[in-house]
Amino acid sequence: MVAPPFLHAKADIILRSSDGVDFRVITFFLNLASSSFDSIIEQAAQSDQRVEGDLPIVPVGENHRVLDIWLRFCYPSTLAEDPPLHEFEDIIPVLEAARKYSLKPLEHKVRQALKSRMEKEPLRCFALAMRAQLNIEATLAAEYTLRQSLIPARVPEINLITAKELLALLTYHQRCGVSVQSLGTDLSWITSDYSLNATGYQWIIANGSCGCESGSRYLLNGQRPFKWWSDYMEKSLMSLYDKPSGHTILVGVGDTVRRVRATGCSQCCSNILVKMTGFAEFFSMEVDTLTAKVDLDMELLKPFVPVTLPTKTPTKNFEGAASGTSAQGTTTGGRKVTVVGGGKKKKKY
């Protein structure tokens, strides 16, 4: 179970994992990695537990997987390869160990490992980042979740976050979906900005030079675009409600290209792949520009601190009732209220 680097004949200490696995370690490498290991070495000097070769045994709180990772990080590359961080289950315990032993470079490596997984599994990364209080990584993971549906699939790490943190993520997702809808109502980003593109936007205008139908929903400087382009925009905006990311635009352009080619119109088909790809890239940047202006509500992500209300100990009056009351009534808002049979209250003016 223990790899060769931790069976070295010149080891001068044994670190025993929480699950009972012994690692023979050279303390010189630990000292070079961090001064926080001084306490471990001092503990070893005072240890009564010894094994063959008279090596002291020091128990540590990490299991053998985590211990193997951070020890490999401390060792030189000639003796041990860089520690792998392929499993999500290792992220939190390795990060906690890095913080515990002041291994800043290892903490950086954990952050990088988390970022490398965000594109494919953003919700899992968001949950881990929130659990580890990595705000930068949590925000980045939230941005990647925009590529997925508003209602996420269940993941094992969902139990690491609170309902309030999940609500913050879903609210952010929804606000981004609403924000990008403005790209369908205000088309100045096409007529003003995209018009500066080398191809301009005239290739999507139905000017009557071919028999392709014009759309009725959009107007570009008073001109009607082709119906196939209008349908593309309408479908894209609908998809952005659920997945408000520029990535959504890029993956959907292929369907429109195939549809145009199916018409057989030589004018519309001319260089359609290049034109639609270029437009989709521009559209995608506009989407990401708008979503970048929507903030993840960090106020919701702050830890909940319950308010502790001061407790008052009631004092007894001469008749045994609590202070502020009497056998005949209580004082409420400066008026005396007498208690009538059946628990009802009658005000005396």
Side-chain angles (χ1 to χ4, degrees):
M1 185 177 292
V2 179
F6 310 120
L7 296 171
H8 204 284
K10 293 186 178 181
D12 54 356
I13 188 177
I14 290 179
L15 299 184
R16 178 165 291 169
S17 67
S18 60
D19 49 357
V21 179
D22 289 345
F23 290 75
R24 296 172 177 264
V25 179
I26 300 172
T27 56
F28 174 74
F29 297 139
L30 302 187
N31 278 328
L32 289 179
S34 174
S35 59
S36 295
F37 291 116
D38 290 344
S39 60
I40 291 181
I41 297 171
E42 290 176 6
Q43 186 179 351
Q46 301 169 4
S47 176
D48 294 330
Q49 298 186 59
R50 302 277 167 167
V51 295
E52 65 276 11
D54 201 32
L55 296 181
I57 300 175
V58 177
V60 295
E62 293 73 33
N63 64 33
H64 75 278
R65 283 176 59 87
V66 177
L67 184 55
D68 182 87
I69 289 173
W70 67 254
L71 282 177
R72 285 180 179 276
F73 184 81
C74 295
Y75 267 51
S77 58
T78 53
L79 293 178
E81 297 178 355
D82 286 343
L85 285 170
H86 302 315
E87 303 297 331
F88 274 110
E89 64 187 45
D90 293 330
I91 295 292
I92 295 296
V94 171
L95 182 61
E96 290 176 345
R99 290 170 172 172
K100 175 181 176 181
Y101 299 111
S102 301
L103 295 170
K104 290 292 184 182
L106 179 56
E107 182 176 348
H108 176 73
K109 185 177 181 66
V110 174
R111 288 172 179 259
Q112 291 301 114
L114 197 58
K115 289 179 181 178
S116 69
R117 307 288 291 274
M118 286 183 184
E119 185 172 352
K120 291 185 177 180
E121 299 178 278
L123 181 58
R124 299 182 73 180
C125 292
F126 176 80
L128 287 167
M130 288 304 306
R131 170 64 176 78
Q133 298 181 333
L134 300 173
N135 287 346
I136 295 176
E137 285 73 15
T139 301
L140 183 60
E143 293 174 3
Y144 274 105
T145 64
L146 298 179
R147 299 184 177 190
Q148 299 182 348
S149 297
L150 175 62
I151 305 301
R154 180 177 175 82
V155 296
E157 291 77 13
I158 198 69
N159 294 327
L160 297 177
I161 59 177
T162 65
K164 187 169 70 169
E165 290 165 344
L166 181 58
L167 175 62
L169 181 64
L170 297 181
T171 301
Y172 165 73
H173 196 292
Q174 187 178 50
R175 288 171 61 200
C176 287
V178 171
S179 175
V180 297
Q181 296 306 307
S182 63
L183 295 174
T185 55
D186 180 3
L187 301 178
S188 60
W189 60 278
I190 299 177
T191 57
S192 298
D193 299 330
Y194 184 68
S195 62
L196 301 177
N197 187 282
T199 57
Y201 67 88
Q202 291 302 316
W203 59 276
I204 61 178
I205 298 299
N207 55 16
S209 58
C210 72
C212 293
E213 183 182 357
S214 63
S216 59
R217 178 171 179 178
Y218 301 104
L219 276 176
L220 297 172
N221 277 342
Q223 298 174 299
R224 295 288 183 188
F226 287 113
K227 185 177 184 302
W228 55 259
W229 183 87
S230 297
D231 291 345
Y232 160 76
M233 286 295 295
E234 194 166 348
K235 181 180 179 181
S236 297
L237 290 167
M238 186 64 68
S239 297
L240 287 172
Y241 262 125
D242 192 41
K243 301 176 182 178
S245 167
H247 182 262
T248 303
I249 301 301
L250 296 176
V251 298
V253 71
D255 290 340
T256 299
V257 171
R258 286 188 288 271
R259 177 184 173 184
V260 173
R261 286 175 171 170
T263 65
C265 175
S266 59
Q267 178 177 317
C268 291
C269 290
S270 176
N271 215 18
I272 187 61
L273 177 60
V274 174
K275 291 176 180 177
M276 275 303 300
T277 300
F279 177 78
E281 290 173 350
F282 188 82
F283 190 1
S284 172
M285 288 189 293
E286 292 294 318
V287 169
D288 290 338
T289 298
L290 287 178
T291 57
K293 297 177 181 179
V294 179
D295 293 327
L296 179 64
D297 191 349
M298 298 307 290
E299 288 298 317
L300 276 175
L301 300 182
K302 289 181 178 179
F304 172 70
V305 179
V307 177
T308 303
L309 297 176
T311 57
K312 295 182 179 180
T313 303
T315 58
K316 301 292 183 179
N317 62 20
F318 70 96
E319 292 182 354
S323 177
T325 67
S326 68
Q328 294 181 342
T330 62
T331 301
T332 305
R335 295 176 177 176
K336 189 173 182 181
V337 180
T338 58
V339 180
V340 185
K344 297 181 180 178
K345 296 182 179 180
K346 181 178 180 181
K347 296 180 181 178
K348 181 184 289 185
Y349 294 92

